[in-house]
Amino acid sequence: MRIQILVSILYFFTLGEGQAQDSIRISNQNYFDSFFDQEGQNLLLLGENHASSVASTIYPDLIKSFNKKAGLTTLIIEFGPAEAYFYNKYLATGDESLLGYTIYGGFYSDWKEAWKEIYEYNQTLDHPLEVVGVDFDRTRTFGYTLYSILQPYQKEGLTSSIDSLLNVIRSDKFFKTYTIDHPSEEGRSFVRHTKKLLEKEMLKITATVSERDLKVISLLMNNKATGFGGTREEDITENIVNYIDSSDQRNFLMLVGRDHAYIQPIYDDRTRLAKLLKREHDFTTLSGLILHENSEQWGKGFKETITLFEVKDKKPWKNYHKLIYDKMDSDFSLIELNRELKNLAIYTDYILVARNQEAIKI
């Protein structure tokens, strides 16, 4: 009887430990580890589907793993430096109201939980995580970032022009005019004129604000990306290259919309972010895609969910689906595109097949 009880207790703790370690298991994760073990600077791109819960599910676990094994602390995001500012403030303070200024943390329940998990992990680190925004800024978020930074310095005497700017940003009219969605032409105009004002008042700002706040203002002013279309891929590339060149870190992780992560696109011939980054020789880029198999995402307008079978049904993966199925041994299977799958390597370096996942919660 005592032996049975002892066996039961050992089984309970062994099961608990196994569940804790393997709650999110990505098969063949050593592929990522070997990439980050390379000399020099390394950028890992993971292309995700915004309407699926897959990215928010695995993101915290990837960060923990890469931080422990490779010392990764820099998280590059497909948003502007203004959005990154609020994520960084949240990671430093744990104030959940700050997530309301972000799109993912303020709109998707799954992402709010993911950032909470990242915050809790960040509290254990001697060298905290840093979020870096390299895409265009949403106008409202851009304004509220400037207000959050500059308003505390008003008592120290900023210029009347800066005071007027802060009065505009805190007005109801500003909130109603601009959104955290895609910037309108009116929103772009506000950002352009604000950057010119900041440049004109930079001597006073530099003499007043802290070095940390000045760094954020500089990122806002020097952001090359302005919105969708046009030279967006090139602008994001330039932002990333500038940041990595100025960083003393070795390894970087960027979660990005899947469309940006193609080395060679499937449905058109527009050059994507991944290909542009791979042309850079000062650091190494590894780019991959999340494919969904029996996994859900939201349809247009978040009105219904759609179940995707991308490996089985979509080109070019469907021509190799039996070979890919043979390599899928987990709900998250990382598959290298070599040997019999090498013809797929023109599109991406690897695929991460996600099975049986739900649509993201809103």
Side-chain angles (χ1 to χ4, degrees):
M1 183 65 177
R2 288 181 178 178
I3 292 176
Q4 289 177 329
I5 293 173
L6 179 60
V7 169
S8 297
I9 292 173
L10 288 174
Y11 175 77
F12 174 81
F13 282 107
T14 302
L15 179 64
E17 182 179 358
Q19 288 175 333
Q21 291 177 344
D22 298 327
S23 56
I24 306 295
R25 189 176 77 84
I26 299 177
S27 66
N28 194 23
Q29 191 163 327
N30 59 302
Y31 175 75
F32 285 153
D33 297 335
S34 61
F35 172 71
F36 280 135
D37 281 343
Q38 296 180 122
E39 293 184 0
Q41 292 178 300
N42 305 298
L43 169 62
L44 174 63
L45 296 183
L46 179 58
E48 58 109 354
N49 186 321
H50 298 324
S52 165
S53 67
V54 172
S56 58
T57 299
I58 65 175
Y59 192 53
D61 287 80
L62 288 175
I63 290 171
K64 293 176 189 178
S65 176
F66 297 156
N67 176 263
K68 291 173 183 176
K69 295 177 181 178
L72 178 140
T73 58
T74 306
L75 313 176
I76 301 176
I77 59 172
E78 189 192 344
F79 294 103
E83 180 122 344
Y85 169 79
F86 285 108
Y87 280 128
N88 285 319
K89 284 203 75 172
Y90 170 70
L91 290 179
T93 65
D95 180 355
E96 292 184 17
S97 68
L98 294 166
L99 291 177
Y101 292 94
T102 70
I103 295 178
Y104 275 6
F107 186 66
Y108 299 118
S109 299
D110 291 335
W111 270 111
K112 186 173 291 185
E113 293 305 312
W115 279 105
K116 286 181 184 178
E117 187 174 343
I118 295 167
Y119 163 75
E120 290 168 359
Y121 179 72
N122 193 52
Q123 300 310 295
T124 70
L125 301 179
D126 294 329
H127 301 286
L129 303 170
E130 180 183 16
V131 182
V132 177
V134 294
D135 202 354
F136 62 85
D137 279 314
R138 272 64 177 179
T139 308
R140 191 191 291 171
T141 312
F142 174 86
Y144 289 161
T145 296
L146 283 175
Y147 188 87
S148 178
I149 291 172
L150 294 174
Q151 191 276 331
Y153 295 104
Q154 277 190 299
K155 60 182 180 296
E156 299 179 29
L158 294 171
T159 66
S160 58
S161 296
I162 296 296
D163 287 338
S164 297
L165 172 66
L166 297 183
N167 288 335
V168 168
I169 294 171
R170 69 165 167 245
S171 68
D172 289 339
K173 182 180 178 181
F174 181 86
F175 180 85
K176 294 174 181 177
T177 302
Y178 307 111
T179 72
I180 60 170
D181 204 344
H182 312 154
S184 62
E185 185 50 47
E186 188 177 11
R188 294 188 191 193
S189 177
F190 172 83
V191 171
R192 286 195 301 269
H193 284 94
T194 301
K195 287 182 178 181
K196 289 180 181 178
L197 172 60
L198 294 173
E199 185 176 0
K200 180 180 177 182
E201 304 293 348
M202 188 48 62
L203 282 177
K204 178 63 175 178
I205 292 172
T206 302
T208 307
V209 308
S210 70
E211 185 176 342
R212 176 180 294 182
D213 289 337
L214 190 62
K215 179 182 177 182
V216 178
I217 293 173
S218 177
L219 289 171
L220 294 172
M221 292 178 63
N222 294 318
N223 184 9
K224 304 299 181 182
T226 59
F228 282 104
T231 59
R232 184 186 178 203
E233 303 290 308
E234 290 80 6
D235 295 338
I236 297 174
T237 300
E238 186 173 351
N239 286 337
I240 292 172
V241 171
N242 288 342
Y243 187 84
I244 292 180
D245 283 349
S246 66
S247 174
D248 59 0
Q249 297 297 308
R250 284 192 56 245
N251 295 320
F252 307 85
L253 170 65
M254 183 175 186
L255 191 66
V256 66
R258 191 167 66 182
D259 189 57
H260 302 282
Y262 284 100
I263 301 168
Q264 177 176 307
I266 295 172
Y267 299 106
D268 59 46
D269 59 358
R270 291 185 295 115
T271 302
R272 302 299 203 274
L273 175 68
K275 186 171 184 177
L276 293 171
L277 289 170
K278 280 181 168 289
R279 292 174 179 172
E280 298 295 325
H281 299 296
D282 290 339
F283 56 89
T284 303
T285 300
L286 186 73
S287 184
L289 313 171
I290 296 175
L291 297 180
H292 298 78
E293 198 65 13
N294 194 36
S295 290
E296 294 180 341
Q297 72 159 51
W298 283 100
K300 189 174 182 180
F302 292 88
K303 293 179 180 178
E304 61 178 351
T305 58
I306 303 167
T307 301
L308 300 178
F309 293 89
E310 294 184 313
V311 174
K312 180 169 66 72
D313 295 339
K314 289 192 173 183
K315 67 175 190 180
W317 326 108
K318 65 181 182 180
N319 297 328
Y320 298 85
H321 81 270
K322 291 181 179 178
L323 293 170
I324 294 174
Y325 277 5
D326 287 343
K327 297 178 180 295
M328 290 163 51
D329 57 2
S330 174
D331 279 344
F332 303 100
S333 298
L334 195 159
I335 300 171
E336 301 176 52
L337 300 181
N338 53 20
R339 299 187 180 90
E340 64 269 36
L341 297 177
K342 65 181 180 181
N343 289 340
L344 294 172
I346 63 172
Y347 303 106
T348 186
D349 293 318
Y350 66 90
I351 56 175
L352 179 61
V353 182
R355 294 189 301 188
N356 310 318
Q357 302 303 305
E358 297 178 348
I360 197 167
K361 297 182 182 66
I362 55 176

